[in-house]
Amino acid sequence: MFDLATTSIGIVGLGYVGLPLAVEFGKIFPTLGLDINENRIEELRAGIDSTLEAAPEDLRQAQHLRFTSRAEDLASCNVYIVTVPTPVDGYKRPDFRPLIGASTTVGRLLKTGDVVVYESTVYPGATEEVCVPILERESGLRFNVDFFAGYSPERINPGDKEHRITTIRKITSGSTAAVAHYIDGLYQRIIVAGTHQASSIRVAEAAKVIENTQRDVNIALINELALLFDRLGIDTQEVLLAAGSKWNFLPFQPGLVGGHCIGVDPYYLTHKAQEIGYHPEMILAGRRINDGMGAYVALRVVKLMTHKRIPVVDAKILVMGLTFKENCPDLRNTRVVDIVREFCDYNAQVDVYDPWVDRQEAVREYGIEPVQEPKPGHYDAIILAVAHRQFRELGAERIRQFGKPNSVLFDVKYLLPANTVDGRL
């Protein structure tokens, strides 16, 4: 029933996850990428990727890849791969609307023998509990009789030019032994690093969600240590360098924890845990610590300003960086906005500067319009929030020129030498 030679792939969602996947499959298999954003389709057809994950040469090499904004164009496909986002709502609950919408779309296209693979991060059981019933309802077909499902969690690291989709080992799984073998073989055609075939979809879902939960909890520990060491008057970075001299000390750093994975995925796991009557204390404690770091940074800067007798009300603040991580334009779930909002609550005047972001997207997502260039000699405090290479190249002396003579320079990311800044985490 499952034959790689006759595989035709439809990718649903062409963001940071879907596009690199579509490009790699499009080098080998007939592949059609679907995105409901017509502007996104237009730029990709023109050989441009605004996420910067696929270079023009990558798009040219994918000779079997086409793009569309019309779902019905995917009707000829026999493998559907869903790569839509899985965010949380304002109450930190899983927001399944993108996944439900994509499943509804795919369900209406399903034919006997088709396979649907999900890459979106979810809690264990979500594929078969949330998505499969929608596929059955919309198609009128029977799961594991007429159509089949799989789960292969994404492992995309936005902005990382070393760890690419083909060089990161891929987890695969399927709803039957035969389809699991087929899905694994499909991904083996593009993943140079190889695959790991999980025993079930639920195991694969659980593996993905704990990858980022583990990182979240570890970063929360270091953030809490930073809070403690600040009160003790000890430089956190010096402590970490000293502890790191032991071979098995894990090299985590304090900081803001945002993005589409680490700052979101743990809530999917805690949601499922609470649904079955278990209260996940460590995971939620880590989330509380990490979600509070933006406010803590603002408080640290306010104290430094107070020591220099700089009034906070009407102070001019420059926040350098808005993306959730360095050297990429990804604004999803950035926690830099927490710093901005804290200073707005102090009635300070905040400018945000980030050479990587799309200004219209920043306005649309957060109501923040980044400045084109910071004003020299204008700011009472400067917060280096994201470690973009442009900021590293500027160096402390040139960054300080944006500030007034008595201004505060605070380094969230340890980008500058300790003796050139007024404070850091």
Side-chain angles (χ1 to χ4, degrees):
M1 179 184 292
F2 307 115
D3 185 359
L4 290 175
T6 59
T7 294
S8 178
I9 300 172
I11 308 286
V12 182
L14 294 173
Y16 286 88
V17 175
L19 181 63
L21 191 68
V23 166
E24 295 305 322
F25 276 127
K27 295 175 182 178
I28 302 172
F29 300 100
T31 304
L32 185 58
L34 169 69
D35 200 288
I36 59 174
N37 184 341
E38 292 188 7
N39 291 332
R40 176 70 168 157
I41 297 301
E42 295 270 335
E43 72 172 22
L44 291 174
R45 285 174 174 167
I48 301 168
D49 171 29
S50 58
T51 70
L52 305 181
E53 290 303 304
E57 179 62 23
D58 297 324
L59 293 171
R60 284 194 295 270
Q61 289 177 356
Q63 298 180 355
H64 306 288
L65 174 61
R66 295 179 296 118
F67 302 107
T68 185
S69 59
R70 298 174 356 123
E72 55 268 30
D73 291 343
L74 272 65
S76 61
C77 298
N78 52 24
V79 173
Y80 297 91
I81 303 178
V82 177
T83 62
V84 297
T86 44
V88 292
D89 64 19
Y91 298 98
K92 307 300 184 184
R93 299 174 304 194
D95 181 359
F96 278 110
R97 286 177 297 177
L99 205 55
I100 290 170
S103 298
T104 300
T105 296
V106 171
R108 293 170 181 170
L109 300 171
L110 279 183
K111 308 171 298 300
T112 299
D114 285 355
V115 176
V116 186
V117 181
Y118 289 90
E119 291 215 0
S120 308
T121 303
V122 291
Y123 56 72
T127 298
E128 290 157 299
E129 294 168 8
V130 177
C131 302
V132 165
I134 296 171
L135 297 175
E136 286 188 311
R137 183 190 70 210
E138 296 297 327
S139 67
L141 301 175
R142 295 167 297 171
F143 178 48
N144 280 343
V145 176
D146 302 313
F147 74 93
F148 305 86
Y151 185 78
S152 181
E154 60 90 0
R155 280 178 164 171
I156 296 294
N157 189 25
D160 189 337
K161 301 307 179 186
E162 178 182 355
H163 301 98
R164 310 299 292 167
I165 184 172
T166 59
T167 62
I168 303 172
R169 196 172 183 192
K170 198 83 160 68
I171 297 172
T172 67
S173 65
S175 55
T176 69
V179 76
H181 179 74
Y182 168 70
I183 291 170
D184 192 69
L186 184 65
Y187 279 99
Q188 282 185 15
R189 294 293 302 275
I190 65 167
I191 306 297
V192 176
T195 60
H196 175 93
Q197 186 175 327
S199 61
S200 69
I201 288 175
R202 287 165 61 89
V203 168
E205 291 167 327
K208 170 57 182 177
V209 78
I210 72 164
E211 288 176 17
N212 291 317
T213 301
Q214 182 188 66
R215 286 181 55 78
D216 192 44
V217 171
N218 276 288
I219 296 170
L221 170 62
I222 303 302
N223 275 335
E224 187 165 51
L225 291 174
L227 303 180
L228 170 62
F229 294 148
D230 176 46
R231 286 161 173 78
L232 293 174
I234 302 173
D235 187 283
T236 302
Q237 185 68 0
E238 289 186 14
V239 175
L240 294 176
L241 287 172
S245 63
K246 189 181 181 187
W247 80 92
N248 61 352
F249 184 81
L250 300 178
F252 288 96
Q253 295 284 329
L256 306 175
V257 183
H260 67 298
C261 288
I262 300 177
V264 173
D265 295 355
Y267 288 119
Y268 277 78
L269 190 56
T270 58
H271 170 83
K272 186 62 177 179
Q274 291 168 331
E275 191 178 75
I276 61 173
Y278 179 77
H279 182 71
E281 296 183 27
M282 180 178 289
I283 299 171
L284 287 173
R287 282 280 74 235
R288 285 192 296 271
I289 292 169
N290 288 341
D291 279 348
M293 291 306 291
Y296 173 72
V297 167
L299 179 62
R300 284 284 309 277
V301 174
V302 168
K303 286 183 177 181
L304 290 169
M305 293 172 66
T306 302
H307 290 161
K308 291 192 173 189
R309 290 180 166 77
I310 303 172
V312 177
V313 175
D314 293 326
K316 296 175 176 62
I317 311 295
L318 175 64
V319 176
M320 298 184 67
L322 182 58
T323 59
F324 91 88
K325 64 178 293 187
E326 65 275 7
N327 303 326
C328 80
D330 196 344
L331 288 172
R332 290 175 296 174
N333 193 40
T334 175
R335 302 284 26 111
V336 178
V337 297
D338 298 339
I339 300 174
V340 175
R341 289 167 181 164
E342 283 292 317
F343 274 105
C344 288
D345 286 344
Y346 280 109
N347 288 321
Q349 302 172 30
V350 184
D351 281 351
V352 175
Y353 171 59
D354 194 318
W356 285 85
V357 305
D358 181 284
R359 297 175 72 216
Q360 292 182 339
E361 184 182 0
V363 172
R364 184 172 62 252
E365 294 297 324
Y366 301 108
I368 295 172
E369 184 172 0
V371 297
Q372 294 280 16
E373 292 286 342
K375 302 174 184 176
H378 182 71
Y379 300 99
D380 297 293
I382 302 167
I383 302 169
L384 195 54
V386 184
H388 290 318
R389 57 175 172 78
Q390 290 93 335
F391 301 161
R392 186 185 300 276
E393 291 165 0
L394 278 175
E397 183 177 350
R398 291 174 64 189
I399 290 173
R400 278 201 176 275
Q401 290 175 8
F402 298 133
K404 297 174 183 177
N406 194 39
S407 62
V408 168
L409 174 56
F410 191 87
D411 186 0
V412 175
K413 298 297 292 184
Y414 300 97
L415 195 63
L416 305 175
N419 61 355
T420 66
V421 300
D422 297 292
R424 56 185 188 173
L425 278 181

